[in-house]
């Protein structure tokens, strides 16, 4: 007669193996389910064809509330669009230069940069540098010199139109070289000063990242008033076209409630994709990369690729 204890011990490894197998199949835990969903979305996006716009789409990424993922969203959406085969120009209009860092372009003091452009000292095409990780992504970097531009511009003529004029010339110059820019993405400082005003006057669309946390909509009223003011007097063609929910943690009721509130205010503008809290997104800039190249299989990279694909598929 066989020993029941021996039989039980023989079965134990099999039970443990099955437990781990069920986890990786996504049937045992929410984490496993997320892994499966990310993998399925990656497979779908791998061969997806990004829609090519009929004319250059010019986005300003703005939110005067700091810490909402503004620059992170600007560079990762730009990288995802470039990864999808589109020609992208990123203009770093933030004196902190974080977008330039994330995209791996030189932006030490003295480097030809957006400061020279906004002050009318150099044309935009002369300061543009290629992003090393992408063949079709170009960057107008920002240096610390830009921090004085707000004061210097106060007494200048056409101070609100400096970026628009420079960008119009740049688009013509790129076209003459046989390069059709599909997207221009302007990263703004977290304020509503002259640099942000220039970006709103130059843009046709505004992308607003909103974190799914308490006070998410705080300050948004003032930004909307500024955009309406620009529409009324400086640029009738600009409009809020895209809302991107960032730092989303679907495990919490707070994130779900904030997302629902934002979608109730902006039902047509809010993308269906939320950007999750993900350590890879935070790590990437320290390696002078976006998460798209730093860890393309991470949940953050997959979410930004999906957001960019959805944005590209929407009408201007």
């Amino acid at each position: 007669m066989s020993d029941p204890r021996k039989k039980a011990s023989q079965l134990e490894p099999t039970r443990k193996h099955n437990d781990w197998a069920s986890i990786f199949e996504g049937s045992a835990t929410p984490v496993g389910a997320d892994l499966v969903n990310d993998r399925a979305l990656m497979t779908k996006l791998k061969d997806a064809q990004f829609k090519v716009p009929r004319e250059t789409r010019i986005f300003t990424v703005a939110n005067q509330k700091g810490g909402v993922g503004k620059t992170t969203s600007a560079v990762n959406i730009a990288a995802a669009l470039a990864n999808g085969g589109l020609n992208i120009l990123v203009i770093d209009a933030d004196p902190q230069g974080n977008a330039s860092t994330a995209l791996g372009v030189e932006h030490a003091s003295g480097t030809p940069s957006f400061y020279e452009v906004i002050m009318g000292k150099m044309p935009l095409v002369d300061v543009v540098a290629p992003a090393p990780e992408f063949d079709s992504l170009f960057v107008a970097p920002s240096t610390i010199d830009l921090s004085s531009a707000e004061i210097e511009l106060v007494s200048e003529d056409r101070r609100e139109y400096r970026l628009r004029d420079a960008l119009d010339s740049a688009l013509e110059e790129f076209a003459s070289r046989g390069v059709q820019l599909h997207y221009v993405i302007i990263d703004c400082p977290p304020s509503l000063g002259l640099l942000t005003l220039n970006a709103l006057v130059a843009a046709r669309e505004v992308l607003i990242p909103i974190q799914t946390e308490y006070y998410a909509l705080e300050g948004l009223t003032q930004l909307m008033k500024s955009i309406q003011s620009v529409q009324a007097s400086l640029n009738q063609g600009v409009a809020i076209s895209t809302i991107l929910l960032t730092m989303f943690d679907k495990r919490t009721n707070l994130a779900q409630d904030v997302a629902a509130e934002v979608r109730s205010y902006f039902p047509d503008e809010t993308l269906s994709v939320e950007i999750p809290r993900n350590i890879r997104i935070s790590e990437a800039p320290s390696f002078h990369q976006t998460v798209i190249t730093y860890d393309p299989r991470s949940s953050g990279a997959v979410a930004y690729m999906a957001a960019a694909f959805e944005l590209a598929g929407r009408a201007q």
Side-chain angles (χ1 to χ4, degrees):
M1 185 173 179
S2 61
D3 186 346
R5 291 172 297 177
K6 183 177 180 181
K7 186 175 182 180
S9 66
Q10 289 173 339
L11 289 173
E12 185 67 17
T14 302
R15 185 184 67 80
K16 289 182 178 179
H17 170 75
N18 288 338
D19 284 348
W20 281 109
S22 66
I23 288 174
F24 285 110
E25 288 168 5
S27 59
T29 68
V31 173
D34 286 344
L35 289 172
V36 171
N37 290 337
D38 286 347
R39 185 168 58 188
L41 192 52
M42 275 180 54
T43 302
K44 182 179 179 181
L45 290 169
K46 183 178 179 181
D47 299 320
Q49 296 293 318
F50 278 61
K51 183 178 179 181
V52 178
R54 291 191 300 271
E55 59 181 7
T56 304
R57 297 180 69 178
I58 304 173
F59 278 87
T60 283
V61 183
N63 193 330
Q64 82 274 18
K65 188 174 186 294
V68 300
K70 177 183 58 60
T71 296
T72 298
S73 296
V75 298
N76 282 295
I77 290 290
L81 290 169
N83 196 58
L86 302 177
N87 297 324
I88 314 298
L89 171 63
V90 173
I91 298 175
D92 190 352
D94 186 346
Q96 297 178 87
N98 292 333
S100 303
T101 298
L103 293 171
V105 298
E106 180 62 44
H107 63 106
S109 180
T111 302
S113 68
F114 181 64
Y115 170 75
E116 281 74 21
V117 175
I118 201 73
M119 296 310 301
K121 298 178 180 180
M122 294 180 70
L124 182 56
V125 290
D126 287 354
V127 307
V128 166
E133 298 288 337
F134 300 93
D135 294 332
S136 60
L137 179 55
F138 308 92
V139 185
S142 169
T143 65
I144 193 62
D145 303 326
L146 188 60
S147 59
S148 65
E150 295 270 7
I151 298 173
E152 295 179 45
L153 282 172
V154 169
S155 60
E156 295 291 328
D157 293 332
R158 291 181 59 82
R159 59 189 181 186
E160 302 93 346
Y161 296 94
R162 292 298 184 91
L163 177 52
R164 178 196 273 187
D165 293 344
L167 185 54
D168 287 344
S169 298
L171 291 175
E172 292 178 4
E173 182 62 27
F174 269 102
S176 71
R177 299 178 185 182
V179 178
Q180 174 63 47
L181 287 178
H182 299 122
Y183 285 82
V184 175
I185 296 179
I186 308 166
D187 184 40
C188 297
S191 66
L192 295 175
L194 273 172
L195 292 174
T196 299
L197 182 59
N198 264 268
L200 292 174
V201 171
R204 296 169 188 158
E205 303 179 63
V206 181
L207 186 159
I208 304 177
I210 298 178
Q211 63 185 130
T212 50
E213 294 184 353
Y214 194 58
Y215 293 139
L217 298 175
E218 185 181 274
L220 192 57
T221 301
Q222 186 58 48
L223 176 59
M224 292 180 67
K225 286 181 179 177
S226 298
I227 293 171
Q228 290 166 359
S229 178
V230 170
Q231 286 174 327
S233 58
L234 299 170
N235 181 10
Q236 294 181 357
V238 69
I240 298 172
S241 68
T242 309
I243 303 289
L244 179 63
L245 297 172
T246 63
M247 304 179 189
F248 183 76
D249 187 347
K250 69 178 182 180
R251 299 170 300 177
T252 68
N253 290 333
L254 175 61
Q256 300 281 2
D257 291 344
V258 170
E261 183 179 15
V262 172
R263 288 196 166 98
S264 70
Y265 280 100
F266 304 99
D268 299 324
E269 295 84 1
T270 307
L271 296 179
S272 64
V273 179
E274 300 99 358
I275 306 302
R277 283 193 175 277
N278 178 247
I279 189 61
R280 296 302 191 190
I281 295 175
S282 302
E283 289 175 348
S286 63
F287 293 90
H288 294 190
Q289 288 182 272
T290 65
V291 73
I292 304 300
T293 56
Y294 176 66
D295 189 352
R297 300 179 66 85
S298 67
S299 61
V302 173
Y304 270 118
M305 283 294 296
F309 182 73
E310 183 178 353
L311 181 149
R314 289 183 166 201
Q316 184 171 342

